[in-house]
Amino acid sequence: MFRRSLLAAATAAVLAAASCSPASAADEVPLGRLSRDVVPDVVAVDLKIDPSKERFSGHTRIDVELAKPLKSFWLHGRNLDIKSATCATADGETVPLTIEQAHEAGGVLKATAPDTLPAGKATIEIVYEAPFGSLSGAYQVKPEGVPHVMTQFESLGARITFPGFDEPSFKQPWKISLTVPADQQGIANTQQVSVEPADEGWKKLTFETTENLPSYLVAFAVGPWDVVKWKDIPPNSVRKTPLQLRGIAAKGQGGRMDYALENTAAIVEAMEVYFDIPYPFDKLDILAAPDFAAGAMENPGLITYRDYLLFVNEDSPVGERQGYWGTHAHELAHQWFGDLVTMPWWDDIWLNEAFATWMGNKIVHQLHPEFHTDRGLMRYGMYAMGQDSLASSRRVHEPINEYTDIESAFDGITYAKGGAVLAMFERFVGEEPFRDAIRDYLRAHSRGNATSDDLIRSIAAHSKDAKGVAAAFHSFIDQPGVPELAVTLDCEGEQPLLKLKQRRYLPLGSVVERIEGQHWGIPLCVRYEADGKLASQCELFDKAQGEFALDADSCPAWVMPNADGAGYYRYTLDPASQQKLTAAFDKLSEREQTVYSATLDAAFSAGTLDASAYLQSVPLLASSDVRETRLAPTGKIGWMIQRIATDEKQKDALRAYGRAVYGPMLKQLGLDAKDGDSDEDRRLRSALIGFLAGTAKDPALRQELANRGRRVLGMSVGDEPGDGKLHTDAVPADQLGTVIWAASELGGKDVFDMLERHFRSTADPSIRGDLLSAMGNMDDKALTERARQLVFEKDLLRRNELGPLLGSQAGTDDDDRRVELRAWVDQHFDKLAELSAPKERRVASLYSANMCSPEEARDLDAKFAQRMASIEGGPRGMAQTKERIQLCSDLREAQAKHPLVIPEYKAL
C-alpha cells in the first residue's frame, strides 16, 4: 500500500498481438481510476503457494467486455514477473499480449496487442510469478519461526498478488483455487468445494465462486493454520439456515479463540435483526493474524484481525476485551456496509468506515450497555474535531485523484467524524426512520456499488424535511471544518430565544481564512431548565446567523447548546449563560458533561482560555461521575508540564497538583481490584495509575509498581529472591503492562536483560508488546540504543511490533533521548520504511513525535518532504504534521505570556 522496492522499470511480458482491454490507451498513465473501456465480468485466480518459499506462482483468467475496439489498455499489477499473457477475442482468435510496468509505485501495467482487438467479450489470461509482500498483498508471517501466508488487499495490495482491475467499482464473482503443500491448510472467502492431488507433495483446493466482490475484498490463507470448527450460528427470524463459524489461528494457537468464537453469534444476530437482511455470505471465518498492519480487515467470509483481539478471555485487560467487541462488531457491520454494498471509488470510503464505526458502537452498546460505547463514539468524534480544525484537513467526501491520496482517506475524518455525523442525523431523523432508510439503501444496492448521494437520498426520504436534511448532510461531508455556534440567551422579549451565529472553529495560530457566511445545516438540539422543568428542542439551523425560539414561559435557568452531546459542532455561550451552565454542571447528562469538558479544551486551544483559568475548572471536571470527564484534565496537565512550565519547580508544582486531584480518587478506589468492580472501575483505576505514576510521578506509587514489575519478571525485590521466570499472573491483567513499564522506568541493565530474555521466549502478542514498550522506555542511552538494534535482528520482531518498541522512545519527555531517536531514524530511514511497509509514513510520524517549534518543523520538512512525496498518504500526512507542530508552537508561546497560577486543590 505504500512505497516499496519494485523490480526495475518494465516487467517484460510476452509476445505481441491483439489486446483485450481499453482501446488505444492514452499516453498518460492512469494513477487514479481506469477507463471503462474494459470491464471485468468474472475473474479466476489459481495460485501455487508454499509458505516456506520466497515466491509464489499464479494464473489469472479474466473474462471482460470491451466497449470498443482496442489495441492497448491499462490494468493493475506490481512487482509481477509475467511469463505469458494472451487474449481470446470475440471472434475466437487467441493472441499474445505484451505487458510492461507503466508505473511502479502506482502498480499500473500497460497491455498491448499486435493488432486492434474487436469490441465485445474477451478473455485475458496471464501466467506469472511474484514475491510475497510486506504486510500487504499475499505475505508471510512466521510465528515462532513457522511460515504461514495470509493476505491484506485493501487498498492496493491485490495488484501485487495478481494482475487485474484493482478498483472497488469493478465488482464481480471470483473463482479461487489454491495449490498448497499436502499437509497444510488453504482457506478463502468461500466454502471449499473440492480437493484433489496435484504434483507430488501438493494438493489443489477449489472454492465456491464468490458473490460479486471488488479485488480489495478477496482473501486467502495458506499454511499450518489451526482451524477451529465452532458450532454453527443457528437460524433466526431473518436467516433461515445455519451459518458455519470457524476460527483460524497460527499453528498451536487455535485453543485461545474460544471467547471470540463464543460471542460472535450475538453480534451477527443483532446485525441481522437491525438490517433485516441475513448475513450475506456462505460462511464466517475469523482469522487471528500474527502480524498485521491494520487492526482488522472485513474480507467477506474470512475476516482478519490482529491476533491479540481474538485471544482475549474474561480475565483479559478490560481495554483488550472491550477492544475485541468493538473491533469485531465494526468488521461484522462491514459485511453489509462495504461488502454487500460497496463504494465505487475511494472518495466514498467513508460509507464503509464511518458506518461500521457508528454501527459497531451501536450494536455493542445494545449488547453491553455497561461498556458505554455511546460515550466512546462521542469522544471519538471530538478527537476528529482536532484534525478537522486544521487548514490541511480533508473533507469526509474528499476527491481521490491518484494512488497517493487513497491512504489519506483512512483517517479520523473518515472514521470518527463520519461516524459522529451519522449518529447526529440518526438522532435528528429518528432511530426507526433512520433504520428503515438504511434497510432500503442496502436492498436497493445489494451486491453492487453505491455512492454518498445514494445513502443521503435514502436517509432524507425517511425524514420530515427531505430537501433540508439532504442539504444539511452534504454540508458536513462536502466541506472540511467544525462548525462553531456562538450562542447568546435573550430574555428581553415575550419569549426567550437563542441568538445564533455560526462560523468555522479555528485553533490559535490557524492560517485558515474564515469564509464570510460559511455555514452548515446543523441538526441543533438544546436542553434547558425553565419553569422548574427540563426540556429539549431540536431544529435544523442552516443559516449563518439567526434565532432559535425556546418553548418556555420564563427565562431558562441554564441552557446546554448541544443536548446529550449528539451534535458534531462546538459552541460558545455568552458569559452570563456560561456561568449558569457551570453552576448547573451536576444537572447535565453524562454525555453533556463530557461536551462541557471538550468545550473548555476547545477554548484552551483557541487561546481564549489560559492555563491558569483552565486549572480553576479542574475540581468541577474531577467531580463528575463520568470517567472520561473526570480524567479530561490529565492530558492538559501533562501538556502544561512539558510545554509551558518554565522550570523544574513549576513542573513539580503541576505534578503535585495532579497528585492532589487524582491521588484521593485512586486511594478510594484502591490499587487492586475488588469483587464487584465494574469495567468502568477497572478502566478508571488503570487510567489513574498511569497518570499518577507517569505524568504526576508519585514516588511511592512508582516504587510499588516497579516492585510488582520486578516480581512479574522474576527478579528480586529487597530480600525477596527472584526465580528468573515470567509470572504474568502476579498482578491483575489490567496492571501487567504498567508494572513492567515501571520496572523499566526505575531499573537498569539488569531489568533490560530480563525483559529481553522473556521477550525472546514468549509468543503471546500482548505480553510481547508490554515487554517491548518497557525495553524502549529505558533511561540509559546505551540501553535505548540496544533496544533499537533489535529492529534489525532478522525474524525477531513482527513488523507490527516496531510501534511498541520505538513509540515508547518517541513519546519520552526527555529532549536528549528524542534527539538521539531522530538521528537514528534519519540514518536508517530506508530500512525502517521497508520494515514499516505498507505504512511507511509512520516513519515520519516517529521522527516528528513531540515536535513543537518552527525549527523542528523546518527540520522535518528538510528531512522528509521528498521521502514522503510518492508514498501513499505521505503528502497530506506531512502537511498535517507540520501544521500541528506550528499550532503547538503558537499555543505554547501564547500561553507562556500569561502567568501560570497553580491553585490549591479543593475537592467539590
Side-chain angles (χ1 to χ4, degrees), residues 309-322:
L309 287 165
L310 299 185
F311 290 166
V312 300
N313 56 51
E314 289 287 359
D315 297 322
S316 295
V318 174
E320 291 185 12
R321 180 164 45 79
Q322 292 189 5

Side-chain angles (χ1 to χ4, degrees), residues 171 212 214 216-217 277 280-281 334-344 351-352 438 441-451 454:
K171 194 173 181 185
N212 288 348
Y216 83 87
L217 288 175
I277 297 172
F281 302 101
H334 272 309
Q335 304 304 294
W336 288 265
F337 243 88
D339 296 3
L340 179 65
V341 178
T342 308
M343 76 287 173
L351 290 173
N352 291 16
I438 297 301
Y441 166 85
L442 289 173
R443 291 190 182 106
H445 303 285
S446 177
R447 308 296 179 191
N449 298 98
T451 66
D454 295 320

Side-chain angles (χ1 to χ4, degrees), residues 15-251:
L15 316 158
S19 146
C20 289
S21 275
S24 202
D27 291 337
E28 186 175 354
V29 179
L31 300 183
R33 304 187 74 171
L34 299 178
S35 77
R36 293 309 180 263
D37 291 341
V38 179
V39 176
D41 180 42
V42 178
V43 182
V45 177
D46 184 4
L47 301 172
K48 186 174 185 179
I49 296 175
D50 181 345
S52 67
K53 306 299 183 183
E54 296 301 316
R55 298 173 66 83
F56 63 95
S57 60
H59 179 182
T60 298
R61 174 190 172 102
I62 311 172
D63 294 337
V64 300
E65 181 78 25
L66 291 110
K68 61 184 180 181
L70 302 168
K71 181 176 172 60
S72 64
F73 61 93
W74 307 105
L75 70 163
H76 293 119
R78 189 173 72 184
N79 214 10
L80 306 177
D81 180 7
I82 296 176
K83 303 299 182 182
S84 66
T86 61
C87 180
T89 63
D91 59 11
E93 183 182 7
T94 298
V95 297
L97 299 174
T98 298
I99 300 182
E100 61 181 355
Q101 189 81 62
H103 193 278
E104 293 184 1
V108 182
L109 299 172
K110 184 177 183 180
T112 305
D115 298 304
T116 299
L117 298 170
K121 295 187 181 299
T123 299
I124 302 166
E125 296 199 50
I126 302 174
V127 178
Y128 63 98
E129 292 182 356
F132 290 113
S134 173
L135 299 191
S136 180
Y139 67 92
Q140 294 169 306
V141 291
K142 298 179 180 179
E144 300 188 78
V146 180
H148 300 60
V149 166
M150 60 172 291
T151 58
Q152 170 59 26
F153 288 163
E154 190 178 46
S155 50
L156 305 181
R159 63 189 65 181
I160 66 175
T161 304
F162 44 76
F165 298 85
D166 188 19
E167 288 183 24
S169 63
F170 294 126
K171 194 173 181 185
Q172 64 282 312
W174 294 76
K175 298 181 177 181
I176 304 296
S177 58
L178 301 172
T179 301
V180 306
D183 61 347
Q184 297 192 7
Q185 303 280 357
I187 303 106
N189 296 93
T190 53
Q191 300 266 14
Q192 179 182 309
V193 294
S194 69
V195 56
E196 54 187 304
D199 299 334
E200 184 177 354
W202 295 81
K203 61 184 178 184
K204 183 173 183 178
L205 310 176
T206 302
F207 299 88
E208 191 71 59
T209 301
T210 73
E211 301 285 354
N212 288 348
L213 297 178
S215 51
Y216 83 87
L217 288 175
V218 174
F220 57 82
V222 175
W225 297 93
D226 284 356
V227 178
V228 182
K229 296 180 180 180
W230 204 251
K231 53 182 176 287
D232 290 349
I233 300 176
N236 56 37
S237 60
V238 179
R239 178 176 33 81
K240 304 307 179 185
T241 58
L243 173 62
Q244 177 184 291
L245 173 63
R246 302 187 302 178
I248 316 295
K251 184 178 181 180

Side-chain angles (χ1 to χ4, degrees), residues 306-366:
R306 286 201 180 190
D307 52 4
Y308 79 89
L309 287 165
L310 299 185
F311 290 166
V312 300
N313 56 51
E314 289 287 359
D315 297 322
S316 295
V318 174
E320 291 185 12
R321 180 164 45 79
Q322 292 189 5
Y324 153 78
W325 282 92
T327 306
H328 202 20
H330 180 106
E331 301 308 321
L332 287 168
H334 272 309
Q335 304 304 294
W336 288 265
F337 243 88
D339 296 3
L340 179 65
V341 178
T342 308
M343 76 287 173
W345 182 238
W346 300 106
D347 59 343
D348 271 326
I349 188 60
W350 79 274
L351 290 173
N352 291 16
E353 300 301 348
F355 186 89
T357 298
W358 167 77
M359 187 65 182
N361 279 278
K362 183 179 183 67
I363 292 299
V364 175
H365 183 64
Q366 174 184 316

Side-chain angles (χ1 to χ4, degrees), residues 424-425 428 472 475-476 483-485 502 519-525 539-543 567-570:
M424 175 173 66
F425 279 95
F428 188 74
S475 76
F476 276 90
E484 180 182 62
L485 276 177
Q502 61 167 301
H519 64 280
W520 288 256
I522 300 176
L524 175 62
C525 292
E539 71 173 47
L540 195 62
F541 182 70
D542 57 359
K543 301 180 285 293
Y568 185 82
Y569 54 88
R570 298 195 187 279

Side-chain angles (χ1 to χ4, degrees), residues 11 50 136 202 352 354 374 487 523 553 585-586 616 659 723 725 832 887:
T11 304
D50 181 345
S136 180
W202 295 81
N352 291 16
D374 61 323
V487 181
D553 295 328
F585 182 77
D586 61 347
Q616 292 287 350
R659 294 194 295 271
D723 60 7
K725 297 178 181 179
L832 291 171
L887 292 175

